[in-house]
Amino acid sequence: MEDIKNLFKKTIIVTIVCFLLGLVFQNKYLLFGISGGCAISVIALYMLSVDTKAIIYSKDIKTAKRIAYIGYAKRYFLHFIFLAVLLYFFKDFKIFLSGFIGTLNVKLTIYTMNALERIKKYLK
C-alpha cells in the first residue's frame, strides 16, 4: 500500500513539473500534450485503485469480473477521448504524440522507480 501512495505522489509531482515547465517555456506540446496526458494518467491510476478496492470487497466472482471489465473499458475510453480531443482541437500530430507520451506517465514512473531501486541495491 505504501508503494501505491508513493507512486501517486511521484506521478502527481511529474504532472505538476511538466505543467509548470510548459507555462514557463510557453510550449503547447509540454503544456497541453504531456502535462494533460500525465493528468489523465493519474486519473486512470486513481480509477484503477478504486476498481481494485471494489473487486477486493465484492463477494461474487461474476460481479468482480464485471467491475474489472467495465473499469478497464472506462480507463481506456478516457485515454481515447483525451487523445481524440487533442487531435480534433489542435489538428497537430506532434501534440497527439506528446499527449500519448504523457499518458505513459504512470508506466514510466513505475519503471524509473524500479530501475533506481535496482541501482541502489547494486551500489550497496
Side-chain angles (χ1 to χ4, degrees):
M1 189 66 178
E2 191 63 35
D3 289 337
I4 301 297
K5 289 180 184 178
N6 193 12
L7 179 64
F8 266 113
K9 288 177 189 175
K10 289 182 181 181
T11 54
I12 290 171
I13 288 171
V14 168
T15 303
I16 292 170
V17 166
C18 288
F19 181 76
L20 291 176
L21 285 174
L23 281 177
V24 169
F25 293 121
Q26 297 294 314
N27 188 342
K28 69 177 181 179
Y29 302 113
L30 193 56
L31 183 62
F32 296 113
I34 293 180
S35 64
C38 288
I40 294 297
S41 182
V42 170
I43 292 168
L45 179 63
Y46 177 74
M47 290 170 64
L48 177 64
S49 66
V50 169
D51 289 343
T52 304
K53 251 186 214 177
I55 290 169
I56 289 172
Y57 291 121
S58 68
K59 303 283 185 199
D60 187 24
I61 292 176
K62 199 173 190 180
T63 305
K65 284 183 180 182
R66 189 177 70 229
I67 292 170
Y69 292 143
I70 291 172
Y72 180 81
K74 284 191 302 188
R75 286 189 306 275
Y76 281 96
F77 185 70
L78 177 69
H79 286 272
F80 174 75
I81 291 297
F82 169 70
L83 293 173
V85 165
L86 278 181
L87 202 56
Y88 179 76
F89 285 113
F90 289 100
K91 294 177 181 44
D92 186 7
F93 192 70
K94 289 180 189 176
I95 203 160
F96 174 80
L97 286 178
S98 64
F100 179 74
I101 291 169
T103 59
L104 298 175
N105 177 22
V106 172
K107 292 170 182 65
L108 294 174
T109 304
I110 291 171
Y111 176 74
T112 305
M113 287 171 54
N114 193 10
L116 289 175
E117 197 173 294
R118 288 181 184 223
I119 289 171
K120 285 180 185 177
K121 284 182 183 178
Y122 180 72
L123 292 177
K124 287 183 180 181

